[in-house]
Amino acid sequence: MRQIKPLERYGYADFICYALNAAEELQDSEPRNFREALESNESKDWLKAMNEEMLSLEKNQTWKLVSLPKNQRVVGSKWVFKKKEGISGVEAPRYKARLVAKGFTQVEGIDYNEIFSPVVKHCSIRVLMMIVNMYDLELEQMDVKTAFLHGELEETIYMQQPEGFVEDNTKVCFLKQSLYRLKQSPRQWYRQFDEFLVKAGFVRSDYDSCVYMMRKNEKVILYLLLYVDDILMASSDRQEIQKLKKRLNDEFEMKDLGNAKRILGMDIMRDRNKGELFLSQQGYLRKVVERFRMKDSKVVGTPLGHHTKLSIK
Amino acid sequence: MAGTPYASGVGSIMYGMVCSRPDLSYAISVISRFMENPGQMHWQALKWVLRYLNGSLKGGLKYTRSQPGMDALEGYVDADYAGNVDTRKSLSGFVFTLFGTAVTWKVALSTTQAEYIALVEGVKEAIWLKGMIGEMGISQGCVKIHCDNQSVIHLANHQVYHERTNTLTFVCTLLET
């Protein structure tokens, strides 16, 4: 009698391969909620991360514990966990826990009104690059740590106490400052930052509300572009940039990234001797090509084949 | 072709187009029309774009210092009358360069007189850009917008655009035969 064998491709090696993949996924996976964090092998690290987050929220005076007034809505809250892989042997992995509000439970007109928040236009970035290159300006970059925690709330919002850190069962958090994932967080952050810049003497552009300028004297202008929490600064005077950085640092907690190298996935390459500036997305596009397994494809010279007259059918 | 990552591919390339690759605008505008129900032909077109990308990964925008006497801002508009096979809609597009390097670009579909719409879109962009660069310290008097359609040039130089011809002169050259 003919023996039926399983197909070659379902062989033993494939099972091993699958198992390894699955194991890797399990190992790498971050806890999805508070319970999983406690049950994971790294529960100690997660607890520590949560304690850190609680401390910074307390320092920031994000909320006040109050008893819930009658007929008031409560917005949920949850923990989000992120593990940043370090380099083995050199840098330990970092564990991050962030408390977020369940923004999807917010109701328009009660929990939030306006939520639009502008970001800088790509065109403005390119115009700035042009100017930077033409006048050989210094171009530096910073980003704001926990930007959204800086906004102040206009609406009255009550939120559940964070899981695992409930102090008094009968009370809820009355939010004074915004929190990640609240609908209005981006807007409130933008307003906060805008207010600071205007007070610092910057003028907001009429053409792009994320472009700011300050004329120091006849020769020196300070440019500042804002993309949510990414900041580009340009000026001919290095001192002025340093001063601005210090002021920003005093007001918000910032991370100094030095000379700008990447903005919005674009690599900025400069050759100041030659007076050239190059914007490209080589790294990003290579990844895209590899993801679609087209790395070894035959190269063509046009973006679309001239014979492809495409239609719906 | 359901289940293929068509939309994902178009989106990934689109991000490149928006940031630093104006050369992909037209291709994206074509392949992104079929997101809802892509067929084999469309998937092939997408792969063609990826092959083109594979050979031009290093491409991007290069900014150099300007030569004296060069116009700061210059625009180019064009249209493809009723080029769309399915809807007979027209395509219009523009590119603006600042000292020779592209700073803004767009390709869009429209239903009306394509060439004229292209010019209008271009002028709208020019007004914004002129203000923007003026604020940032580059002064520009008139903005040259290049256009290759005689009737539009005629129309633009007369009636409708009177209030704007003060700030924008249309220098029209034949870009294509």
Side-chain angles (χ1 to χ4, degrees), chain A residues 103-313:
Chain A
F104 56 89
T105 56
Q106 285 180 277
V107 174
E108 189 179 352
I110 302 170
D111 298 321
Y112 65 92
N113 297 300
E114 294 288 330
I115 54 171
F116 175 76
S117 168
V119 290
V120 73
K121 289 180 168 66
H122 283 87
C123 178
S124 311
I125 298 178
R126 290 188 286 259
V127 170
L128 181 77
M129 292 302 139
M130 184 80 233
I131 291 171
V132 161
N133 183 55
M134 196 136 88
Y135 300 107
D136 199 28
L137 306 181
E138 305 293 330
L139 179 68
E140 303 219 3
Q141 196 177 6
M142 277 185 120
D143 85 31
V144 189
K145 287 182 186 167
T146 60
F148 288 172
L149 297 186
H150 292 291
E152 267 158 37
L153 288 175
E154 284 160 25
E155 294 85 3
T156 317
I157 297 177
Y158 296 93
M159 187 186 76
Q160 272 172 10
Q161 288 188 58
E163 209 178 347
F165 293 84
V166 180
E167 282 175 33
D168 182 345
N169 249 333
T170 57
K171 300 208 162 157
V172 290
C173 302
F174 171 58
L175 292 184
K176 288 196 266 179
Q177 305 232 289
S178 75
L179 208 59
Y180 277 81
R181 294 204 193 169
L182 278 176
K183 297 258 187 208
Q184 58 270 64
S185 295
R187 184 183 175 84
Q188 296 310 110
W189 154 244
Y190 171 75
R191 289 190 56 159
Q192 190 82 11
F193 197 75
D194 175 76
E195 200 179 293
F196 170 78
L197 286 180
V198 170
K199 239 187 240 162
F202 275 94
V203 181
R204 185 181 51 234
S205 162
D206 291 333
Y207 296 90
D208 185 335
S209 25
C210 285
V211 174
Y212 295 83
M213 278 157 292
M214 178 158 43
R215 188 172 278 281
K216 279 284 166 186
N217 53 49
E218 275 298 298
K219 277 184 188 152
V220 181
I221 306 179
L222 208 53
Y223 297 99
L224 188 147
L225 264 60
L226 175 70
Y227 192 93
V228 190
D229 58 356
D230 256 330
I231 297 167
L232 272 182
M233 290 168 284
S235 173
S236 55
D237 191 336
R238 193 176 278 271
Q239 229 90 61
E240 285 299 333
I241 293 189
Q242 293 309 327
K243 263 197 253 170
L244 173 64
K245 277 184 177 173
K246 199 177 167 306
R247 285 183 82 171
L248 283 168
N249 228 335
D250 292 344
E251 185 81 12
F252 311 98
E253 211 185 328
M254 312 280 284
K255 194 159 126 199
D256 191 348
L257 299 169
N259 281 335
K261 290 176 205 84
R262 262 176 90 80
I263 181 83
L264 299 182
M266 287 186 277
D267 294 316
I268 305 168
M269 283 162 280
R270 287 182 81 178
D271 187 333
R272 294 179 71 164
N273 294 327
K274 270 198 208 159
E276 284 178 0
L277 188 147
F278 194 65
L279 276 183
S280 97
Q281 285 175 292
Q282 204 184 333
Y284 168 76
L285 291 174
R286 174 163 292 131
K287 268 190 203 151
V288 173
V289 170
E290 274 167 19
R291 187 151 60 85
F292 284 87
R293 310 228 173 94
M294 298 295 279
K295 203 176 66 169
D296 301 319
S297 60
K298 199 178 128 200
V299 168
V300 289
T302 51
L304 265 189
H306 57 88
H307 55 277
T308 47
K309 193 83 180 163
L310 291 175
S311 68
I312 289 170
K313 274 168 199 132

